[in-house]
Amino acid sequence: PGAPQARLTVVADVQPQGEGIIGSFGLTNHRPGALDQQRLPLETLAGTLEWQGSVARFASLHATLPGSGELDGHGAWQNGALTLDLAVRRLQAAKIATMLRSPALNGQISSAVGGERQNLNVDLSGAGFRLRAEAIHAAGRVTLPQLRLESGDARLTAQGEIALDGERRFTAEGELQRFDPSRFGQLPAAQINARLKADGKRAPQPVAEASFVLQDSRLAGQPLSGEGRVS
């Protein structure tokens, strides 16, 4: 019930070849939309498939996204894992989630999705804006080794991890340099220089310890500085 809504049409043309199959496929989403509107930000997906033995190769993949965005690349299914390498063109963040803001982004997305480990790497940029991120899910933990978001001289860097079982312990830390939230989303304008750190657990009840330091910052045109600890 919590999954995004879509209305999909799939067309495939597949025939035997050797010990496997070869063919092409196409998918059309008749109800595309942003994730926060419970829709899929995907209009079409097309590709070619060659499946021999335990290996499936997608020599070409092409997707169109709302707002003229496109993905082009290739992938493979082997040893129980799906790997994808995609070039990104004209991706608009507001079409993925309506509260986000960015210029049209170009770059690269790569991922490997298997039963025991999944990882995602993103490197996108456009008009002075850049997003670099890496996320890993393995051994019951989600780790964010790197998140770096830049627009002009505004910068956010962060890293953290959370366990998905037991007490679901988590840690996170980040730094903001001349950070203006209004450049990245529908948020008030500011210029924030800060360091943040938090750790805690989510079960059986949420418990967290956090600290922050604010220096030489401004919010709503007024000077802002300080520090604190939160339990």
Side-chain angles (χ1 to χ4, degrees), residues 136-149:
I136 301 168
H137 173 210
R141 307 185 75 83
V142 174
T143 305
L144 187 70
Q146 174 187 220
L147 172 63
R148 189 176 182 92
L149 185 60

Side-chain angles (χ1 to χ4, degrees), residues 17-95:
Q17 184 180 79
E19 297 181 355
I21 59 174
I22 188 170
S24 60
F25 62 90
L27 178 151
T28 301
N29 181 8
H30 301 278
R31 299 179 62 192
L35 290 172
D36 56 334
Q37 297 175 334
Q38 288 299 100
R39 300 290 181 89
L40 284 176
L42 173 71
E43 293 181 343
T44 64
L45 172 65
T48 60
L49 166 68
E50 181 180 357
W51 197 316
Q52 298 290 332
S54 61
V55 180
R57 302 190 187 280
F58 304 93
S60 66
L61 291 170
H62 177 77
T64 61
L65 313 177
S68 76
E70 292 184 313
L71 305 176
D72 272 301
H74 57 86
W77 171 268
Q78 187 172 9
N79 299 323
L82 174 67
T83 59
L84 294 171
D85 287 294
L86 301 171
V88 181
R89 294 194 298 272
R90 300 182 300 277
L91 174 67
Q92 298 183 34
K95 299 296 184 179

Side-chain angles (χ1 to χ4, degrees), residues 23-207:
S24 60
F25 62 90
L27 178 151
T28 301
N29 181 8
H30 301 278
R31 299 179 62 192
L35 290 172
D36 56 334
Q37 297 175 334
Q38 288 299 100
R39 300 290 181 89
L40 284 176
L42 173 71
E43 293 181 343
T44 64
L45 172 65
T48 60
L49 166 68
E50 181 180 357
W51 197 316
Q52 298 290 332
S54 61
V55 180
R57 302 190 187 280
F58 304 93
S60 66
L61 291 170
H62 177 77
T64 61
L65 313 177
S68 76
E70 292 184 313
L71 305 176
D72 272 301
H74 57 86
W77 171 268
Q78 187 172 9
N79 299 323
L82 174 67
T83 59
L84 294 171
D85 287 294
L86 301 171
V88 181
R89 294 194 298 272
R90 300 182 300 277
L91 174 67
Q92 298 183 34
K95 299 296 184 179
I96 306 299
T98 58
M99 77 288 291
L100 299 178
R101 179 179 297 165
S102 78
L105 299 175
N106 304 287
Q108 200 76 21
I109 295 177
S110 61
S111 68
V113 181
E116 297 182 354
R117 181 184 176 92
Q118 300 89 44
N119 65 273
L120 174 70
N121 288 274
V122 177
D123 191 347
L124 302 174
S125 61
F129 184 107
R130 187 169 189 184
L131 168 64
R132 285 182 288 175
E134 179 184 1
I136 301 168
H137 173 210
R141 307 185 75 83
V142 174
T143 305
L144 187 70
Q146 174 187 220
L147 172 63
R148 189 176 182 92
L149 185 60
E150 303 175 19
S151 178
D153 60 355
R155 182 176 296 111
L156 176 152
T157 56
Q159 59 186 23
E161 68 175 20
I162 182 171
L164 301 180
D165 53 14
E167 295 181 324
R168 299 176 67 185
R169 292 193 170 273
F170 67 88
T171 62
E173 59 182 297
E175 184 175 4
L176 305 171
Q177 297 177 334
R178 298 177 294 280
F179 191 78
D180 182 355
S182 67
R183 297 188 188 184
F184 305 95
Q186 299 178 19
L187 298 166
Q191 187 178 84
I192 300 175
N193 296 286
R195 295 191 307 276
L196 313 167
K197 190 173 183 178
D199 61 76
K201 60 182 181 179
R202 308 226 14 226
Q205 293 181 339
V207 177

